[in-house]
Amino acid sequence: MKQLQKEGYTYIDGGVCAAKGFRANGINCGYNPDKNKNDLGMYVSDVVCNAAAVYTTNLVKGAPLTVTKENLAATGGKAQAVIANSKNANTCNRDGVERAREMCEIAGEALSIDPKLVVVASTGVIGQPFSCEPARNHIDELVGGLTYDGNSRAEWAVMTTDTVPKEVAVSFVLQGKECHLGGMAKGSGMIHPNMATTLNFITSDVAISSVLIQKALSEVTEKTYNCLSVDGDTSTNDMVCVMCNGLCGNDEIVAEGADYETFKEALFLVMRALTVMLAADGEGAGKLLTCEVKGAPSFEVARTCARSIIHSTLFKCAMFGEDANWGRVLCAIGYSGAEVDVEKIDVTFRSENGVLPVCEAGYGIPFSEEKASEVFAKDEIEILVDLHQGEEEATAWGCDMTYDYVKINGDYRS
Amino acid sequence: MKQLQKEGYTYIDGGVCAAKGFRANGINCGYNPDKNKNDLGMYVSDVVCNAAAVYTTNLVKGAPLTVTKENLAATGGKAQAVIANSKNANTCNRDGVERAREMCEIAGEALSIDPKLVVVASTGVIGQPFSCEPARNHIDELVGGLTYDGNSRAEWAVMTTDTVPKEVAVSFVLQGKECHLGGMAKGSGMIHPNMATTLNFITSDVAISSVLIQKALSEVTEKTYNCLSVDGDTSTNDMVCVMCNGLCGNDEIVAEGADYETFKEALFLVMRALTVMLAADGEGAGKLLTCEVKGAPSFEVARTCARSIIHSTLFKCAMFGEDANWGRVLCAIGYSGAEVDVEKIDVTFRSENGVLPVCEAGYGIPFSEEKASEVFAKDEIEILVDLHQGEEEATAWGCDMTYDYVKINGDYRS
């Protein structure tokens, strides 16, 4: 997968450990009966961080989200560690909030920090009783194994049906200091705006106020995770959490301006890369779909159209079948709710194998089926839509609908 | 499948030919290369009917819908015949409206009636050039074969990925006259509110004004077709058309009252039965899902929740896997947009094999996995939700998501 290149930013390894002063670890503590699979992850900063988070818009919210929100409010946007488990979402449990608080206490005690500085997250089956005992029994092992290169172990611990770990980081210069921002994401199904994020953790060594982290995060989320759909189901446990510890040594960014923009661009590059990775690893996905809508009267119209196309089950099936069924693209724009003039729309499919224009000004144009087969034979397909009714644009990401998606979700609980 | 029983109404055979004075036929004229499959259907009333229709809300509308709307407006709600083809939707074609008008002319000429009295419909692939020549070349065969029991032949002509024909009719007494109302429906995929209907044709021998047909149709649609989802894709060519020829001999119903209610109830029974048939025959469907939401503060809240559950891809996969994953039911309510108190909601699964309560007041309750397997082993599953926040209720229908859905839609166009 190609990363978006941007002058001044270099992609580096390290994920959530790319920034200075972050240690991480992941272990199996028993939530997952398969002892070879990590199910409990943690990362911790050497010093207290400024932090911010965004959460799912689902009315049904995981108890860990409630507790994380509480903690960030109580500390005025400070955090130092994250503890996260997979296999059980701790959602729709009568004692869920108590258990989530207990997880913070277990982590806080082991790390000798205030439990309110702990961000807690869970992912897995909804509505199953959650016990802290596995975590409590293995917390010393987890904390004892924290290292400055433990990012992958932590990432593996939060994976569910993910087939590959998803990590990315960038380095860049700010006030003459070398800075880093990196992140990890878990998520494969139950992914849809808003927030289409599942769990995403981002760390940086930049010094920046919590208020500005929140602002940058909210803005970037709109153009990245909120433009992603795997299956149209908005999860109950989605969260993106950003923690910045200031160890790169810059003067704290406390107002918008060039430094803020430099930080926000780093955040955008990392969150965009994770978004694309999430789409490509969508449950059962065979193809990564990228839909670019341009010529729109507003960003909202462009995004509404792009998301509707990416979300259309029928279109996703057509992509699985490598079928140039562009009628479903127009159909999805038509029911999206966006006010557009259908008779101005051009549609083109593109892959590394070539470009295939299929619709001009709302009507079909002849194309070679042979050429179509060639274009669709690749694993990354772009759907290019020009509305010809303005200057704005948006991109949405998703994946095809496959037998495997159905299989994975037919017996997820068991 | 059990039909909803209602005193005073008897289910009968005959579909669109159950009402007096309606003849029908269906043939293969060449739109479908398989000569054994009908692709052109027609039915015609002996006398001019009062008529009304509702259409898809998709901005991309099939040309036949535009022309049918034009015709009903020009005649002030009169119609006498329907001509419909499958295999080509005549949508997104530059000359689509001209071709749809031509279909009306071909039918009108052959029947010696005003072309404006012809309702035209097409279903199939979007964006492929449409020719009237196959219909023109076979119109005499089509008209010559019209009979008072030709309903099934017409129904077969509009089927696409449908696996079974869908017809139903009722008889009832109104003003001492024996009356009939029947219909047929086609549709299997690309089915979602609003209008989640694909093509539906309903006939009756009741005498009733076009204005009241429209009113009854709009009301009943809200509680039937608009509560149906197969895949979340709102088609471009959906239409329900009701034609009433008055041949049962009642005095024309021109105002609301007992007679109007009797007619509306018949329309509800027929449209509800067709809705359930469409859900059960959803593309690739293995199970019919019926979701009843009660205890809601309003019908809209009840329907929003019911539709969101039925529409959830993840929940549909769980039903395919016979997995009592009720967390996905709560999750779908949570992101539906309905304002509800999650901590009051009960969820129960039911089939002919028994009843399985799984969630009480928003939290999981223990249940036997053995009992769950038994309940889910049936082909018709009910999802019963009690919001405990009011007196209103709604029902929505859908089906599970299966490998076959993906297969069917992966190569639909070819």
Side-chain angles (χ1 to χ4, degrees):
Chain A
M1 203 172 308
K2 285 174 299 185
Q3 305 291 7
L4 194 65
Q5 296 304 318
K6 182 88 184 180
E7 208 189 317
Y9 296 85
T10 309
Y11 287 95
I12 56 173
D13 289 336
V16 290
C17 289
K20 289 188 192 85
F22 284 94
R23 289 174 299 148
N25 192 22
I27 59 169
N28 176 284
C29 73
Y31 290 118
N32 195 329
D34 181 345
K35 292 287 166 205
N36 294 315
K37 290 195 174 156
N38 288 357
D39 54 19
L40 187 66
M42 174 181 269
Y43 63 85
V44 57
S45 167
D46 294 345
V47 297
V48 173
C49 302
N50 287 336
V54 289
Y55 308 92
T56 182
T57 54
N58 197 314
L59 284 186
V60 179
K61 280 189 176 51
L65 271 61
T66 305
V67 172
T68 292
K69 236 181 196 169
E70 262 176 25
N71 287 354
L72 285 176
T75 58
K78 304 283 180 188
Q80 192 166 355
V82 169
I83 187 162
N85 72 280
S86 49
K87 289 308 267 186
N88 188 319
N90 188 18
T91 298
C92 297
N93 292 322
R94 211 173 288 278
D95 63 351
V97 168
E98 282 165 64
R99 292 292 82 74
R101 286 191 191 126
E102 195 180 334
M103 288 294 271
C104 294
E105 281 154 22
I106 292 168
E109 196 177 335
L111 293 165
S112 303
I113 62 171
D114 182 349
K116 297 246 173 265
L117 289 172
V118 178
V119 166
V120 58
S122 296
T123 178
V125 179
I126 298 171
Q128 304 233 328
F130 180 78
S131 161
C132 296
E133 290 320 300
R136 186 187 299 283
N137 295 337
H138 292 79
I139 191 72
D140 291 341
E141 178 191 345
L142 183 68
V143 169
L146 288 166
T147 63
Y148 292 107
D149 62 357
N151 50 293
S152 287
R153 295 195 300 274
E155 163 66 3
W156 281 96
V158 292
M159 286 166 57
T160 51
T161 50
D162 306 63
T163 64
V164 291
K166 289 172 266 286
E167 295 186 308
V168 70
V170 292
S171 70
F172 54 102
V173 173
L174 193 149
Q175 297 173 6
K177 311 287 183 186
E178 197 193 334
C179 302
H180 310 85
L181 189 145
M184 67 184 200
K186 98 91 212 177
S188 192
M190 205 181 268
I191 291 196
H192 190 63
N194 306 292
M195 291 275 306
T197 60
T198 66
L199 296 179
N200 288 260
F201 301 106
I202 293 164
T203 59
S204 177
D205 42 26
V206 168
I208 177 169
S209 74
S210 301
V211 171
L212 288 182
I213 299 173
Q214 187 74 58
K215 185 174 164 60
L217 175 58
S218 299
E219 285 177 28
V220 171
T221 299
E222 286 304 311
K223 299 203 168 184
T224 54
Y225 296 134
N226 279 354
C227 290
L228 167 69
S229 183
V230 169
D231 52 15
D233 277 274
T234 301
S235 160
T236 53
N237 287 47
D238 294 339
M239 175 168 70
V240 187
C241 179
V242 181
M243 286 165 60
C244 299
N245 66 11
L247 290 182
C248 81
N250 69 304
D251 296 332
E252 185 171 319
I253 307 170
V254 293
E256 291 182 61
D259 290 347
Y260 170 76
E261 293 301 327
T262 300
F263 171 82
K264 195 171 94 173
E265 185 66 29
L267 189 62
F268 172 74
L269 290 173
V270 164
M271 286 175 61
R272 186 188 185 280
L274 290 172
T275 298
V276 176
M277 289 180 200
L278 285 164
D281 194 31
E283 279 175 346
K287 286 183 197 297
L288 169 65
L289 307 179
T290 303
C291 180
E292 291 177 26
V293 174
K294 65 177 185 176
S298 68
F299 170 70
E300 286 67 32
V301 164
R303 189 173 69 170
T304 298
C305 292
R307 295 204 321 192
S308 186
I309 293 162
I310 285 295
H311 177 214
S312 160
T313 308
L314 280 172
F315 179 66
K316 287 153 65 78
C317 287
M319 290 300 93
F320 168 66
E322 305 192 349
D323 179 1
N325 198 330
W326 61 270
R328 293 180 182 168
V329 173
L330 247 63
C331 178
I333 295 173
Y335 67 66
S336 70
E339 290 288 334
V340 294
D341 180 350
V342 176
E343 302 206 343
K344 287 184 174 172
I345 301 173
D346 296 346
V347 180
T348 299
F349 294 114
R350 185 169 70 188
S351 79
E352 280 187 353
N353 282 354
V355 176
L356 186 78
V358 285
C359 170
E360 221 174 77
Y363 296 107
I365 49 177
F367 58 85
S368 136
E369 291 287 346
E370 198 182 337
K371 174 78 184 168
S373 302
E374 215 179 295
V375 168
F376 286 105
K378 301 302 284 185
D379 287 347
E380 300 188 13
I381 307 293
E382 290 170 285
I383 306 99
L384 310 174
V385 175
D386 192 338
L387 300 178
H388 289 294
Q389 16 206 313
E391 298 298 320
E392 298 301 320
E393 57 188 47
T395 302
W397 296 271
C399 56
D400 55 346
M401 165 69 77
T402 67
Y403 300 150
D404 282 347
Y405 178 89
V406 178
K407 182 165 170 29
I408 290 165
N409 287 297
D411 59 1
Y412 176 64
R413 207 175 49 100
S414 45
Chain B
M1 202 171 310
K2 287 174 301 188
Q3 304 291 7
L4 192 68
Q5 296 304 317
K6 182 89 186 180
E7 207 188 316
Y9 296 85
T10 309
Y11 287 94
I12 56 174
D13 290 335
V16 291
C17 289
K20 292 190 191 85
F22 284 93
R23 289 175 299 149
N25 194 22
I27 60 169
N28 176 285
C29 74
Y31 291 116
N32 194 331
D34 180 347
K35 292 287 165 207
N36 293 316
K37 291 196 174 154
N38 289 356
D39 55 21
L40 188 67
M42 174 182 268
Y43 63 85
V44 58
S45 167
D46 294 347
V47 297
V48 174
C49 301
N50 288 336
V54 288
Y55 309 92
T56 182
T57 53
N58 197 314
L59 284 185
V60 179
K61 281 190 174 52
L65 270 62
T66 304
V67 172
T68 293
K69 233 177 197 174
E70 259 177 29
N71 286 354
L72 285 175
T75 57
K78 304 282 182 189
Q80 192 166 356
V82 169
I83 187 161
N85 72 278
S86 49
K87 290 307 268 185
N88 187 319
N90 188 18
T91 297
C92 298
N93 292 320
R94 212 172 286 277
D95 63 350
V97 167
E98 283 165 63
R99 292 292 82 75
R101 286 190 191 128
E102 195 180 334
M103 288 294 271
C104 295
E105 280 155 22
I106 292 168
E109 196 177 334
L111 293 166
S112 303
I113 62 171
D114 182 349
K116 297 244 171 265
L117 290 171
V118 178
V119 167
V120 59
S122 296
T123 179
V125 180
I126 299 170
Q128 303 233 326
F130 181 78
S131 161
C132 296
E133 290 321 299
R136 186 187 300 283
N137 295 338
H138 293 80
I139 191 70
D140 291 341
E141 178 192 345
L142 183 70
V143 170
L146 288 165
T147 64
Y148 291 106
D149 62 357
N151 50 293
S152 287
R153 296 194 298 275
E155 164 66 2
W156 281 97
V158 291
M159 285 165 60
T160 50
T161 50
D162 306 62
T163 64
V164 291
K166 289 171 266 287
E167 294 187 310
V168 70
V170 292
S171 71
F172 54 102
V173 173
L174 192 150
Q175 297 172 8
K177 310 290 184 186
E178 195 192 336
C179 302
H180 311 84
L181 188 145
M184 66 185 199
K186 100 89 209 176
S188 194
M190 207 181 267
I191 290 194
H192 190 63
N194 308 285
M195 287 280 303
T197 59
T198 67
L199 295 178
N200 288 260
F201 302 107
I202 292 165
T203 59
S204 176
D205 43 25
V206 168
I208 177 170
S209 74
S210 302
V211 171
L212 288 182
I213 300 173
Q214 186 75 57
K215 184 175 166 60
L217 175 58
S218 298
E219 285 177 27
V220 171
T221 298
E222 287 303 311
K223 299 202 169 186
T224 54
Y225 296 134
N226 278 354
C227 291
L228 167 69
S229 182
V230 169
D231 52 14
D233 277 273
T234 301
S235 160
T236 53
N237 285 47
D238 295 339
M239 175 168 69
V240 188
C241 179
V242 181
M243 288 166 58
C244 299
N245 66 12
L247 289 181
C248 80
N250 69 304
D251 297 332
E252 184 170 319
I253 307 171
V254 293
E256 291 183 61
D259 290 348
Y260 169 75
E261 294 300 328
T262 301
F263 171 81
K264 195 172 91 171
E265 185 66 30
L267 189 62
F268 172 73
L269 289 173
V270 164
M271 285 174 63
R272 186 187 184 282
L274 291 172
T275 298
V276 176
M277 289 180 201
L278 285 165
D281 195 31
E283 279 174 347
K287 288 184 195 297
L288 169 65
L289 308 179
T290 303
C291 180
E292 291 177 27
V293 174
K294 66 177 185 176
S298 68
F299 169 71
E300 285 67 31
V301 164
R303 189 173 69 169
T304 298
C305 292
R307 294 200 327 190
S308 186
I309 294 163
I310 286 295
H311 176 213
S312 159
T313 308
L314 280 173
F315 179 66
K316 289 153 64 77
C317 288
M319 292 298 94
F320 168 65
E322 305 192 350
D323 179 1
N325 198 330
W326 62 269
R328 292 179 182 169
V329 173
L330 247 63
C331 178
I333 294 174
Y335 66 67
S336 69
E339 289 288 334
V340 294
D341 180 350
V342 176
E343 301 207 344
K344 287 184 175 171
I345 302 173
D346 295 347
V347 180
T348 300
F349 294 114
R350 186 169 69 189
S351 78
E352 281 187 356
N353 282 356
V355 176
L356 185 78
V358 285
C359 169
E360 223 173 75
Y363 295 107
I365 50 178
F367 58 85
S368 133
E369 291 288 346
E370 199 183 337
K371 175 78 184 170
S373 301
E374 214 179 296
V375 168
F376 285 106
K378 302 299 287 186
D379 286 347
E380 299 189 14
I381 307 293
E382 290 170 284
I383 305 99
L384 310 175
V385 175
D386 192 339
L387 299 178
H388 290 294
Q389 7 201 322
E391 299 298 320
E392 298 301 320
E393 55 187 49
T395 302
W397 295 271
C399 56
D400 55 345
M401 165 68 75
T402 67
Y403 300 150
D404 283 348
Y405 178 89
V406 178
K407 184 167 168 30
I408 290 165
N409 287 296
D411 59 1
Y412 177 64
R413 205 175 49 100
S414 47

